[in-house]
């Protein structure tokens, strides 16, 4: 808690690096009215709990927030509304089931949010239904999250959504039928969702969908007939097991190119 006083009225980006199980956010954040990007990275072995969260009430111009290896608890209680925030990235965070709470009001906390990213986060089973009321959201990315097993049934209410990346979430078994209401959706990535059993028939209503990446989805062995209605679809990456079915769709959709994913075995991930 013993921070020196720092006055940076013109600062726009702040990166805080530390290694600890607890971290007291510096009070001088209150003196950074022009701060647009805040990056907080914890390098310790475990996740860190943040204190002095009240400083966020002074960051009225904050546009981008990055948390890495942070424990996110009681989101609705500990977070002040960030009315201008556009992008949230949560990496290696312990969500402490805070997203499973029914009272989480994401539109109230982040009314202007356009990008929501979670990567390698733990201890959350589903996204709160209130995420479907983020009416300016155009990118939703949930990757390498083993505990995720369900997407909100009202996902189709995100009328501005253009990108969905649900990558390497092995316990996810289905996509909500409401996905067919995403009229602006351009890119769908469900690769390495090994528990996913099918594509919903309603996906044929996503007339602006341009690319689907569904490599390493071994349980999807048949495709809905409505895929032939995807007139904007230009690229599909899939496994060899469904390649022949996609070739039939390719005949019905001019300009569509279907590719079989190349198998690549590497140990590069060990260095991450």
């Amino acid at each position: 808690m013993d921070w020196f006083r720092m006055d940076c009225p013109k600062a726009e980006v702040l990166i805080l690096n530390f290694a600890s199980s607890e971290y007291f956010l510096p009070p001088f954040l209150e003196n950074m009215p022009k701060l647009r990007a805040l990056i907080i990275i914890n390098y310790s072995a475990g996740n860190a709990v943040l204190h002095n969260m009240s400083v966020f009430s002074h960051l009225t111009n904050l546009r981008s927030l990055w948390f890495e290896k942070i424990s996110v608890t009681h989101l609705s209680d500990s977070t002040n509304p960030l009315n201008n925030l556009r992008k949230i990235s949560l990496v290696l965070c312990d969500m402490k089931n805070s997203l499973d709470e029914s009272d989480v009001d994401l539109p109230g906390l982040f009314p202007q949010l356009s990008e929501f990213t979670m990567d390698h986060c733990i201890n959350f089973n589903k996204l709160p239904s209130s995420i479907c009321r983020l009416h300016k959201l155009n990118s939703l990315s949930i990757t390498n999250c083993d505990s995720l097993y369900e997407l909100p049934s009202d996902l189709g209410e995100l009328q501005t959504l253009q990108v969905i990346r649900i990558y390497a979430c092995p316990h996810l078994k289905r996509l909500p039928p409401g996905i067919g209401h995403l009229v602006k959706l351009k890119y769908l990535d469900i690769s390495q969702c090994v528990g996913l059993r099918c594509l919903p028939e309603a996906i044929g209503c996503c007339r602006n969908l341009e690319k689907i990446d569904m490599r390493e989805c071994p349980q999807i062995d048949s495709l809905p007939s409505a895929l032939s209605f995807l007139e904007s679809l230009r690229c599909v990456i899939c496994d060899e097991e469904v390649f022949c079915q996609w070739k039939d769709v390719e005949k019905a959709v001019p300009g569509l190119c279907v590719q079989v994913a190349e198998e690549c075995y590497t140990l590069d991930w060990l260095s991450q």
Side-chain angles (χ1 to χ4, degrees):
M1 297 175 61
D2 188 18
W3 281 97
F4 55 88
R5 179 173 177 80
M6 184 182 294
D7 193 15
C8 301
K10 296 183 179 180
E12 296 188 6
V13 179
L14 177 64
I15 302 173
L16 297 173
N17 296 321
F18 65 93
S20 175
S21 60
E22 295 187 62
Y23 188 75
F24 191 89
L25 292 173
F28 59 70
L29 278 167
E30 299 177 1
N31 302 318
M32 295 183 172
K34 294 186 177 181
L35 196 67
R36 296 171 62 89
L38 176 60
I39 301 168
I40 302 177
I41 301 177
N42 171 26
Y43 287 96
S44 68
N47 293 79
V49 175
L50 297 181
H51 298 283
N52 196 29
M53 296 288 284
S54 60
V55 295
F56 279 101
S57 62
H58 299 270
L59 303 180
T60 56
N61 285 309
L62 195 66
R63 299 293 194 273
S64 179
L65 180 62
W66 178 291
F67 278 0
E68 186 165 333
K69 238 177 193 179
I70 303 298
S71 290
V72 181
T73 58
H74 303 296
L75 194 61
S76 58
D77 298 330
S78 60
T79 307
N80 294 287
L82 296 172
N83 293 323
N84 288 306
L85 195 68
R86 304 295 197 271
K87 183 176 180 179
I88 294 178
S89 299
L90 305 174
V91 180
L92 294 166
C93 288
D94 186 348
M95 303 309 298
K96 299 289 185 181
N97 296 314
S98 59
L99 290 181
D100 298 346
E101 299 170 3
S102 59
D103 62 340
V104 176
D105 181 16
L106 292 181
L109 295 173
F110 318 116
Q112 303 296 323
L113 196 67
S114 61
E115 295 184 36
F116 185 78
T117 298
M118 299 179 70
D119 182 50
H120 286 94
C121 292
I122 60 172
N123 288 328
F124 76 104
N125 295 320
K126 57 185 178 180
L127 299 175
S129 59
S130 65
I131 198 173
C132 300
R133 301 198 309 273
L134 291 170
H135 296 307
K136 295 191 177 182
L137 194 69
N138 58 44
S139 177
L140 176 63
S141 179
I142 313 292
T143 57
N144 300 292
C145 294
D146 290 354
S147 59
L148 178 70
Y149 72 84
E150 184 181 5
L151 294 176
S153 58
D154 296 332
L155 196 67
E157 294 182 9
L158 293 170
Q159 295 293 297
T160 58
L161 200 60
Q162 298 182 31
V163 175
I164 296 180
R165 294 190 69 233
I166 310 295
Y167 168 85
C169 296
H171 293 105
L172 183 68
K173 290 181 170 53
R174 59 186 289 271
L175 297 176
I179 196 172
H181 297 296
L182 300 176
V183 294
K184 292 189 177 181
L185 187 64
K186 294 184 177 182
Y187 177 47
L188 175 64
D189 183 358
I190 54 172
S191 54
Q192 292 192 25
C193 287
V194 296
L196 201 61
R197 296 171 180 170
C198 65
L199 293 174
E201 189 74 27
I203 197 172
C205 297
C206 299
R207 300 300 174 87
N208 287 304
L209 190 58
E210 298 175 358
K211 182 176 181 179
I212 298 176
D213 190 340
M214 52 177 292
R215 72 188 82 191
E216 297 185 49
C217 294
Q219 295 201 51
I220 300 181
D221 55 9
S222 63
L223 301 176
S225 58
L227 289 172
S228 58
F229 298 130
L230 297 177
E231 54 194 29
S232 298
L233 195 60
R234 293 296 177 265
C235 179
V236 171
I237 304 174
C238 65
D239 297 328
E240 192 169 352
E241 288 76 9
V242 292
F243 177 70
C244 291
Q245 296 181 58
W246 271 113
K247 292 301 285 185
D248 292 337
V249 177
E250 191 177 46
K251 296 174 184 176
V253 180
L256 174 60
C257 176
V258 180
Q259 308 170 24
V260 175
E262 295 182 7
E263 293 185 354
C264 180
Y265 302 100
T266 175
L267 297 178
D268 290 347
W269 61 274
L270 290 173
S271 63
Q272 296 180 359

